[in-house]
Amino acid sequence: MRRIMGIALAVLLIGGVVAAVVAGRDNEESGTATKTVRMVIGSEKAEFFADPDVVKALAAKGYTVEAETAGSWAMEGLDLEGYDLAFPSSRAPAAELAEKYEVRGMLPRPFYSPLVVVSRRGAAEVLAANGLAELDEENPGTLKMEAYLDAAERDRTWQQLKGAGKYGELTGTLYISSTDPESSNSGALYLAAASYVTGGGKVVASDADVERTAPLLRKLVSVQGAQQTGTDAAFRDFVSGAGNPLVLVYESQVAALLDEQQNADDLVVLYPDTTVNSDHTVVPLTGNGRKLAELLGDDPALRKLAVRHGFRPQGDVAEFAAAAVGRTAYLKQRLTGVRQAPVPTSAVLRELARRARG
């Protein structure tokens, strides 16, 4: 009797193991996430990772994500013990994080987004009437960076620009709102582009270069008063009608807005004729972090979702161009006619930010 009961118990145990394996396979096939990845990301990517379709696509590959936001340059001051990856908005802060945490090998860059200036239509028309911008009803506008920086250096006000009088909100010093360059990637890259233009197309590389360009950068920042630490809050303020009529944001945020909101008649997107692409760069801190980063760049479903949120996937301009059809009044399908400014080294960029903040 005991032998019979032992055999029966063994059969039941084997059956249980087989059932568990089958259930595990069923879970994988049905998209149940099995690995949790903790990450710290720039705020501009928060909506992407919160998108239910992105959550589902990652779960289908066996991952669930816990994401916290921080300014890209502020990430270096965080304790990332227990995190699987950091995902700042450009290569410079990513390189510093990689050095700090001794991350070897190529850092994945799944997608990128250029910096643009969002404007109210009235403000954009005044800029165009005064030679600071060019407008095209069927395409995004262009911000003439050299002319704008010259106006900023001379402390020009909206009241000094012809045509501004009919817009009551256009008063005070002319400036573009940007984020804190000491903690936020977009604010730092704004200084990189401005310093490149004022340097006659030469990247800032020496103490003399910093000394020469610092006074103008100080003006660009000090006129703004308190600055946000991320573009997400600044863009939300702009969309709600609050704050400055000119705000520096990522192109991806404009694309995401257009995906949610059909009526954007008062919105004008100005592509600076000299700008900086923000290469969203992953710093993998664990094996799971690297695998997830590679998925973001390689998986067709995740690439398609990145495009839907306005990011340009690396390696295939056609994906974004196709998605921009019907939105070409606001988005450039291809970045033709836009000059890319090289970014100074991390040390120089930090010094520019420090000097700009005073």
Side-chain angles (χ1 to χ4, degrees):
M1 177 64 69
R2 276 186 293 211
R3 284 189 63 195
I4 293 171
M5 290 182 65
I7 293 169
L9 181 59
V11 169
L12 287 173
L13 287 172
I14 292 170
V17 170
V18 171
V21 170
V22 171
R25 287 175 182 167
D26 288 344
N27 283 345
E28 288 178 8
E29 290 171 2
S30 64
T32 301
T34 58
K35 294 178 283 291
T36 298
V37 175
R38 291 187 68 201
M39 61 171 69
V40 57
I41 62 174
S43 64
E44 70 291 330
K45 293 184 283 289
E47 289 189 7
F48 171 75
F49 283 107
D51 184 335
D53 290 335
V54 174
V55 173
K56 183 178 178 181
L58 288 171
K61 296 296 182 180
Y63 293 93
T64 187
V65 164
E66 294 179 358
E68 301 170 28
T69 61
S72 293
W73 285 102
M75 290 180 189
E76 190 186 7
L78 301 177
D79 180 4
L80 298 182
E81 183 69 31
Y83 287 81
D84 295 285
L85 64 88
F87 202 172
S89 303
S90 73
R91 282 180 280 186
E96 291 206 352
L97 285 168
E99 183 177 356
K100 178 178 179 179
Y101 290 97
E102 299 182 346
V103 177
R104 307 301 179 203
M106 185 73 70
L107 299 180
R109 293 181 290 123
F111 41 70
Y112 65 98
S113 184
L115 289 167
V116 299
V117 175
V118 289
S119 170
R120 310 285 177 211
R121 180 157 297 279
E125 290 175 352
V126 170
L127 292 179
N130 289 269
L132 302 179
E134 292 179 353
L135 296 183
D136 181 339
E137 289 186 5
E138 298 181 357
N139 296 286
T142 299
L143 178 70
K144 297 183 176 181
M145 279 290 283
E146 189 170 355
Y148 164 70
L149 292 172
D150 179 67
E153 190 164 31
R154 293 189 287 127
D155 300 313
R156 295 192 72 180
T157 65
W158 284 105
Q159 293 93 317
Q160 293 172 327
L161 302 181
K162 62 182 179 182
K166 61 181 179 179
Y167 301 103
E169 70 275 17
L170 299 182
T171 60
T173 304
L174 169 69
Y175 69 91
I176 295 170
S177 290
S178 61
T179 54
D180 179 358
E182 289 192 295
S183 61
S184 172
N185 176 67
S186 61
L189 294 185
Y190 177 44
L191 300 186
S195 65
Y196 182 75
V197 173
T198 58
K202 178 177 177 290
V203 66
V204 174
S206 65
D207 291 342
D209 293 337
V210 171
E211 194 65 32
R212 172 184 48 77
T213 194
L216 172 59
L217 301 186
R218 173 64 179 153
K219 280 191 175 186
L220 296 178
V221 170
S222 63
V223 70
Q224 300 182 46
Q227 293 176 290
Q228 302 276 11
T229 58
T231 54
D232 188 49
F235 189 55
R236 283 202 307 268
D237 287 347
F238 175 85
V239 171
S240 69
N244 195 46
L246 302 173
V247 182
L248 185 80
V249 299
Y250 294 106
E251 177 193 58
S252 58
Q253 293 171 295
V254 176
L257 174 69
L258 296 174
D259 192 56
E260 299 170 1
Q261 181 176 316
Q262 298 299 317
N263 183 9
D265 290 342
D266 193 43
L267 171 69
V268 175
V269 181
L270 301 174
Y271 283 74
D273 56 16
T274 301
T275 189
V276 178
N277 278 349
S278 182
D279 286 312
H280 296 269
T281 305
V282 179
V283 182
L285 302 173
T286 66
N288 282 339
R290 182 168 287 278
K291 289 175 183 176
L292 188 138
E294 291 168 352
L295 273 177
L296 292 174
D298 298 338
D299 183 72
L302 288 167
R303 285 174 70 93
K304 186 175 181 180
L305 288 165
V307 169
R308 191 171 81 185
H309 280 266
F311 298 108
R312 294 176 181 254
Q314 298 284 0
D316 190 350
V317 297
E319 289 177 278
F320 187 88
V325 171
R327 302 175 178 179
T328 53
Y330 305 98
L331 302 173
K332 281 182 174 287
Q333 289 179 292
R334 290 174 171 80
L335 297 174
T336 53
V338 177
R339 182 171 59 166
Q340 293 298 317
V343 179
T345 65
S346 296
V348 171
L349 197 54
R350 279 193 177 279
E351 181 62 14
L352 289 176
R354 187 188 71 79
R355 296 287 294 274
R357 291 286 294 168

